[in-house]
Amino acid sequence: MSDVLRPDTFSLNDDDFTQSGYYQLRKSERIIETRFLEQILLVDDKKIISEQLSDNFVGVITNNSLYNSVEDGDIVTINKFGQLRVILSRRANHNTLLVTERCNNRCLFCSQPPREERDDWLLTYSAQALAAFDFDGEVGISGGEPLLYGNEFLNFLEFIAKHAPKTKLHILTNGRAFSDLSFTKQIAIRSRQMQITFGVPLYSVKPSVHDGLVGASGAYSETVLGMVNAGNSGIGMEVRFIPTQLNAFELPMVVEFISRVFSSVVQLSIMNLEATGWAKRNWLKLQCDTEQYVEKLKEGVLSADIMGLNPTLFNFPLCHLPDSLRSYAVKSISDWKNYYPDECSLCQLKNSCGGYFSSSRGKYHQNPRRII
C-alpha cells in the first residue's frame, strides 16, 4: 500500500540486476571482507562506477526510491518477476524473517497459510542473511513452525550464535516440539549461548477451544507439556493470546493458568486479530470488538500485571481501549504494513498509538473512536 509508513517492495527496471535470490545491498563500493551473501551495488543515479565493480558486486540497481528507503548493508530478496523486497532493514521498527511455510497447526486466523513442500532452504538463507546483516538488536523468526526442522533448526541457532552473536532472536512457535524433552534440552543449551525468547500461543484453558482455534486435535496437550518443559529448562517464553468470539471471555482464566503452571514467562502478549490470511475467510465467526469483552480484558490485564507476567497489548488502536489499559499498549505493527486512517490525522495521541494494519481496509476496518 502506498500510504504505509515504510514501503518494503519495489519493482526493478529491465536494465537493473534482476536475478532472483537473497542479496545484501551496498550503497558504497567499500569492500566487505566477510561475505555471507552476494552483494548488489545500489545507486541513485547513473554515476560513474569503477572498473573493479565486477569483482565486488554481482550487479547494479539504479532506483532513487529504493536508495532513499534503505541503509548500506540491508538485506533483500528478488523474485522471478523482478520485484525486490527488503527483508532486513536498519530503518524498520521490527524485522522478521520467514524460515519455513510448513506447519503442523492449521490456525483459523493464520496469517501465513502453510504449505506441505520441504523448504529448509529458507532456514539456510535466513541464517546467511542474519550473519550478513550483523544486527545489534532483535529479529523475529517466524513460519510456519520453525521447530519442525529439528536438528536443522539447532544448527541454525549454532550458526547465528557464531556469526551474528549480537543479534537477539524472538522465535514464534506453537510450542508442540517442546513436548520432546530431549529436544527441549538441546534448545536450552543453545539459549544460554545467545539471547532468545520464544513466543508461544495459548488460546484457552479448554483443550477443545485451543485445538479448534489452531485446527489440530491434541495440540493443546502437546503445547502445554511443551511449555512446562521449556519453562523448567529455563527457556524464556512470551505467551500469546488472540481474543476471538470463541475465547475472549476466558482471558482471566488463561492468565491464572499461566501464572500457576508455567515458569520462565517473560511476557503475556494479548494480540488484536489481524485481517489477513485465513482470518479474512473466518472473520465473521472470529472477530470480536474490544467493547464486547472490555471488562474481561481489564480483569485479565490487571491480574497479569499483579502476577508479574508483564502484560502487553499488541495491535490495538488506543481509541479502542479504555484509559486504564492504554499504558499497556505498544506500537507493534510492522511499519511496512502499518497505516493511519484519515480520521486519525488530528488525534493528539497519534504519535503514541500503534494505528491499524493496512490489511484492515474495507469491510474489516473498525472505525477510530472519539477520545474524550
Side-chain angles (χ1 to χ4, degrees):
M1 298 293 180
S2 59
D3 56 350
V4 295
L5 300 184
R6 181 182 62 86
D8 73 324
T9 304
F10 301 83
S11 296
L12 301 178
N13 297 318
D14 291 339
D15 55 350
D16 287 327
F17 177 84
T18 58
Q19 184 175 333
S20 60
Y22 283 63
Y23 300 97
Q24 185 168 33
L25 289 182
R26 299 296 317 286
K27 298 171 73 173
S28 163
E29 292 188 57
R30 177 178 58 85
I31 297 175
I32 294 179
E33 296 298 333
T34 303
R35 302 184 184 189
F36 295 93
L37 293 174
E38 293 185 305
Q39 299 181 8
I40 298 172
L41 181 63
L42 175 64
V43 297
D44 60 348
D45 54 36
K46 297 289 186 182
K47 73 172 187 177
I48 298 175
I49 300 168
S50 66
E51 296 181 359
Q52 291 77 25
L53 171 68
S54 59
D55 296 331
N56 300 327
F57 304 97
V58 295
V60 180
I61 291 175
T62 304
N63 187 307
N64 288 354
S65 178
L66 176 61
Y67 187 91
N68 293 324
S69 299
V70 300
E71 297 294 336
D72 182 52
D74 284 356
I75 309 299
V76 303
T77 61
I78 299 175
N79 66 21
K80 61 182 179 181
F81 304 108
Q83 292 179 318
L84 179 149
R85 185 180 179 198
V86 183
I87 61 169
L88 290 175
S89 167
R90 283 175 173 78
R91 296 188 184 182
N93 61 350
H94 303 289
N95 280 297
T96 299
L97 285 176
L98 178 75
V99 300
T100 181
E101 293 186 74
R102 295 176 60 214
C103 190
N104 52 349
N105 280 356
R106 294 294 184 270
C107 297
L108 298 183
F109 36 65
C110 181
S111 60
Q112 184 71 43
R115 299 183 179 182
E116 298 296 333
E117 298 85 1
R118 188 172 180 86
D119 57 3
D120 50 325
W121 59 272
L122 283 170
L123 201 60
T124 300
Y125 274 114
S126 294
Q128 294 172 337
L130 285 167
F133 195 49
D134 193 25
F135 186 50
D136 184 11
E138 184 175 84
V139 175
I141 302 298
S142 182
E145 173 47 54
L147 273 59
L148 279 181
Y149 280 116
N151 288 333
E152 290 172 88
F153 185 76
L154 296 177
N155 293 337
F156 168 82
L157 294 182
E158 290 178 355
F159 185 90
I160 302 307
K162 180 178 180 180
H163 297 291
K166 297 181 295 183
T167 302
K168 305 172 186 176
L169 298 182
H170 183 279
I171 300 168
L172 295 181
T173 172
N174 58 38
R176 295 172 63 182
F178 288 140
S179 61
D180 180 340
L181 182 56
S182 176
F183 177 71
T184 303
K185 289 180 177 179
Q186 290 300 313
I187 292 284
I189 291 171
R190 289 154 180 81
S191 295
R192 290 190 284 272
Q193 299 170 354
M194 54 198 304
Q195 297 186 66
I196 310 178
T197 302
F198 287 84
V200 186
L202 185 68
Y203 299 132
S204 175
V205 295
K206 303 172 185 175
S208 60
V209 174
H210 180 90
D211 288 359
L213 285 168
V214 304
S217 179
Y220 176 86
S221 296
E222 288 190 351
T223 295
V224 170
L225 175 58
M227 293 172 72
V228 170
N229 286 342
N232 290 345
S233 299
I235 295 172
M237 290 184 293
E238 171 218 23
V239 183
R240 296 190 157 203
F241 181 90
I242 297 178
T244 71
Q245 295 175 37
L246 305 177
N247 69 338
F249 292 87
E250 278 192 61
L251 177 59
M253 292 185 288
V254 172
V255 169
E256 182 177 1
F257 184 78
I258 293 169
S259 69
R260 291 180 180 273
V261 176
F262 307 125
S263 55
S264 299
V265 174
V266 299
Q267 181 170 301
L268 170 63
S269 298
I270 302 166
M271 319 192 76
N272 203 18
L273 187 63
E274 179 182 1
T276 191
W278 286 349
K280 285 189 172 182
R281 74 182 189 188
N282 295 309
W283 194 251
L284 292 180
K285 70 177 180 181
L286 291 177
Q287 194 274 327
C288 189
D289 286 339
T290 311
E291 290 88 344
Q292 295 177 258
Y293 64 97
V294 67
E295 293 305 318
K296 293 295 183 182
L297 182 61
K298 287 193 288 187
E299 182 183 346
V301 170
L302 297 178
S303 295
D305 199 1
I306 292 171
M307 296 170 183
L309 296 179
N310 187 25
T312 308
L313 297 173
F314 285 71
N315 314 335
F316 288 88
L318 292 181
C319 60
H320 289 195
L321 295 171
D323 183 65
S324 61
L325 294 183
R326 288 175 190 159
S327 62
Y328 296 95
V330 294
K331 299 179 71 171
S332 54
I333 301 175
S334 297
D335 47 11
W336 60 270
K337 56 180 178 179
N338 187 198
Y339 93 111
Y340 294 84
D342 292 340
E343 301 98 304
C344 301
S345 59
L346 298 179
C347 180
Q348 294 182 356
L349 298 183
K350 180 179 177 180
N351 289 338
S352 57
C353 178
Y356 287 78
F357 287 105
S358 59
S359 59
S360 72
R361 274 180 265 228
K363 64 181 180 179
Y364 309 103
H365 182 64
Q366 300 172 61
N367 292 327
R369 278 68 157 161
R370 183 177 179 84
I371 296 178
I372 300 176

